Structures are given as structure tokens and as C-alpha cells.
Amino acid sequence: MPSPFPGMDPFVEGQRWRDFHTSYITVIREMLTPNVRPRYVVEVEEYVYLAREGEEPDRLFTPDVAIVEASTRPAAAPQGRTAVATPAIYTLPMPTRYRQAFLTIRGRQWQNVVTVIELLSPWNKTPGEGRTTYLVKRSNILYSQANLVEIDLLRGGLRLPTREPLAPADFHTFVNRNGRLPQVEVYSCTLRDPLPTIPIPLAGDDPDVPLDLQVAFTTTYDRAGYDYSLDYARPPEPPLEPAAAEWVQTVVKR
């Protein structure tokens, strides 16, 4: 059964985002590959990041818990030897390792990166180490020879920085073309709209490849079975404005 919403389903963000992120990236790859071959290849890549304690644990992931465990049995001293001091045993607050997938379009012959496609995560949009790390990575791509496409299907968190205020909308996609910076194309829509079809730039004079973000979402939703795994009785996270919340309830109850 398809999502009851015309575009992005607001219940995915708070309940199934990590699963959706990986699945959506994979579907986009499947959609792009037939349209860029044989000159280009589309690859799923990933980077590893560490989520430390104190980094918005209620919005990101389950935090580590520091447990203090003291030894209750002192070790017996060996006969005729100096007793070794008995340690107290503690648990370190270890950072949790996560992997985030993204796409690269590479020239098949030289394997040069032509375009990077990122689906933003809460980690990219939450103030702190995670957002800082992503913005550094973003700057490195923007100053390279590659194009950068950033898909933001999250209502929560900070938006990507632009000099002019973004249009009032729930979702934004940024198409950064090499050679046209600092100008960036932004495609925006609200919860009530279907997700747009965006251009994916390639190298040189090669024409853009269209990518229908709504078809990618619908395919991901159907394959994952979100129609029965999402709990539509729970309010969406982050909370909606009253008018939007009322509209969402009417859609769910149809």
C-alpha cells in the first residue's frame, strides 16, 4: 500500500530514518545507472562518524551510558609477596560508530568523481561536531572539480547555509554545479506537494540527468513496507505546526 501523503511522509523522519536513508540512496542509484551508462558509473560509498555522548541524544541516536562498577572482592595477597593494589573497574563512555551512505558518479574510464549526491541526516543538521564535520566535507567538495547535490528531506534541524533566506518550505534540494558557484539551484516543496524532479549534473557538456525524487520515495516506501511498520497513531517528530498537524491527521484517517 502506498504512503497516504502526496510527497514525503512526515512519519518516516522520527521512526525509520536510518533504514530509509540507506534504502533511498540505493533506489536513487538504481534509477540513475541506466541513464548515465556507459560513460559513468554510480557507486554507493560511505563514511564513518562517531556519535559522542551529549550530542543531542534524544534527536540522534541512543547514547552510551557511563556505568561505574567497583570491585567488591579484594584480591588475596600471595604468600611472601607484596600485595598488588586492587583496582576499581569503570566503564568508559565510548563513542558509537555509525556509517552514512552517499553516492558518487564517476567517469568510467578515469574513475574521477564527477558528482556527489548526499541525503542529509539528523547528524548533518544538528549543532555540534557532526554538523561541523559535514560542513568541512561539503566545503572540500565545493572547492573540488565535482558537482554536489544535497537532498534534505528532514523537517528538523538546521538548514544548509545560504546568503539569502530560503523559501518557506519543509524540504529543500541543493544542486551545486561546478563552475557556477557561489550560485546554487534550490528546489523546495512542502508536505502537501509531491517531491520534485531535479537535474543531476554531469561533466563538461553532457546533459543533466533527471531524477524524480517522488518516484524514488514511493519505491523505497513500498519495498520497505512502511505502510505497516510506521505507527501513524503517534504524532510526527519533530512536532508540526497546528494547521499542518490537523491536515496530517485528515490524510492519515482517509
Side-chain angles (χ1 to χ4, degrees), residues 7 10 20 68 86 102 104 129 155 157 167 175 181 189 194 216 234 242:
F20 174 79
V68 178
T86 302
F102 63 99
T104 59
E129 182 179 351
R155 292 184 299 107
V175 178
L181 296 172
C189 64
R234 290 168 49 185

Side-chain angles (χ1 to χ4, degrees), residues 41-179:
V41 294
V42 186
E43 298 181 346
V44 178
E45 301 189 24
E46 63 181 18
Y47 54 89
V48 177
Y49 62 92
L50 300 179
R52 306 178 191 278
E53 288 188 84
E55 285 193 343
E56 295 288 337
D58 57 330
R59 289 295 300 127
L60 287 176
F61 307 103
T62 305
D64 298 323
V65 179
I67 303 173
V68 178
E69 181 179 321
S71 175
T72 57
R73 285 187 174 181
Q79 291 288 339
R81 296 184 183 179
T82 302
V84 176
T86 302
I89 307 301
Y90 295 83
T91 301
L92 296 178
M94 296 292 291
T96 304
R97 178 180 297 179
Y98 293 97
R99 300 177 184 273
Q100 181 163 313
F102 63 99
L103 292 177
T104 59
I105 300 177
R106 295 176 179 267
R108 184 174 64 88
Q109 183 175 5
W110 304 110
Q111 286 297 297
N112 56 307
V113 177
V114 171
T115 303
V116 176
I117 303 175
E118 290 272 3
L119 176 61
L120 299 187
S121 71
W123 183 74
N124 302 140
K125 301 184 66 180
T126 302
E129 182 179 351
R131 179 171 172 83
T132 301
T133 300
Y134 177 73
L135 291 179
V136 170
K137 176 191 176 186
R138 180 181 194 249
S139 296
N140 290 336
I141 298 172
L142 293 177
Y143 279 103
S144 73
Q145 298 300 309
N147 306 298
L148 174 62
V149 176
E150 298 165 292
I151 304 169
D152 185 1
L153 300 184
L154 295 165
R155 292 184 299 107
L158 300 175
R159 299 297 182 189
L160 291 174
T162 55
R163 290 182 180 177
E164 302 84 5
L166 290 170
D170 296 299
F171 312 111
H172 304 275
T173 297
F174 298 74
V175 178
N176 301 277
R177 297 177 183 269
N178 175 256

